[in-house]
Amino acid sequence: MTTDAREKMVRAAALLLAERGYAATSFGDVIARSGAPRGSIYHHFPGGKEQLAAEALRWYAGRNRVQVGGDAPGGRALDAVAGYFTAMANWLRKTDFKGGCPIAGVALDVGPDEPLHAVVAEAFADWRGVLEHAFRAEGCKPATARALGALVIAAAEGALLLARAERDLTAYQDVATEVLWHLRTALAAAAGEPAASAVR
């Protein structure tokens, strides 16, 4: 029961950070969203809001690290990235364009000397690393795999911001299409296939 309450608070915090960022998310918001008893939050998170936010970010980062780079049939990187873009588009629709990425939300709210900045940097680095590993496994050279990993994360995060700002998926889907086309081209080149085989 205690573990369930704690997990609910962590998940609620992640959702709220995705919607509002760090500065605009309060313990009261987390309690209301999770349904946890008012006095329980300091029991589970004696380090306060910063500890709760850090755990929420790590939970979200761990959940996404599998999906973004390898949770696809056969473990193909391209399928995983396509699935990730689709899942996030569905999430935007489901939340009426309120849901975003809590990692990005916190990144905009904290300074480089604050502890949460290290958690944010660690999450982005981990996602890039997962993608880099996946692209290298499909024949890409290390520098290419590293660049493709950065491209996917930067494009996905930017596309989320565009969709939320415009409350529309058109630009988001355009970004997804261009990223996937670029990945097909790069992976075809790594496999020694003609560039024409990477159909847009």
Side-chain angles (χ1 to χ4, degrees):
M1 188 68 137
T2 300
T3 302
D4 287 346
R6 195 177 196 284
E7 288 179 358
K8 285 179 181 178
M9 284 187 275
V10 167
R11 294 184 184 200
L15 294 175
L16 287 162
L17 292 170
E19 293 173 8
R20 307 177 187 182
Y22 182 65
T25 297
S26 69
F27 271 167
D29 297 328
V30 174
I31 289 166
R33 180 70 67 93
S34 67
R38 182 163 292 276
S40 66
I41 202 152
Y42 279 106
H43 169 71
H44 292 297
F45 305 99
K49 179 180 173 180
E50 191 174 83
Q51 181 188 354
L52 173 58
E55 294 198 26
L57 294 180
R58 290 190 177 105
W59 171 79
Y60 180 84
R63 175 177 172 270
N64 266 29
R65 81 181 304 272
V66 176
Q67 185 179 36
V68 77
D71 188 16
R76 293 186 64 237
L78 184 65
D79 292 338
V81 172
Y84 180 73
F85 271 105
T86 298
M88 292 309 297
N90 291 337
W91 174 241
L92 286 163
R93 290 190 193 95
K94 182 178 179 179
T95 61
D96 193 27
F97 294 93
K98 294 176 184 175
C101 171
I103 309 295
V106 173
L108 296 172
D109 275 350
V110 300
D113 297 327
E114 297 180 58
L116 284 177
H117 183 271
V119 180
V120 167
E122 178 184 295
F124 281 138
D126 184 51
W127 291 349
R128 292 200 318 273
V130 168
L131 285 162
E132 181 179 346
H133 176 78
F135 293 134
R136 288 188 67 174
E138 295 194 35
C140 290
K141 294 179 180 178
T144 301
R146 184 178 66 249
L148 291 176
L151 171 68
V152 170
I153 299 303
E157 294 296 334
L160 275 174
L161 287 176
L162 284 172
R164 292 185 72 191
E166 298 172 358
R167 296 182 58 78
D168 184 86
L169 284 172
T170 303
Y172 177 93
Q173 290 168 335
D174 286 344
V175 170
T177 297
E178 290 303 309
V179 168
L180 293 172
W181 177 82
H182 185 79
L183 292 181
R184 287 189 194 96
T185 302
L187 292 172
E193 298 172 6
S197 67
V199 181
R200 207 180 198 114

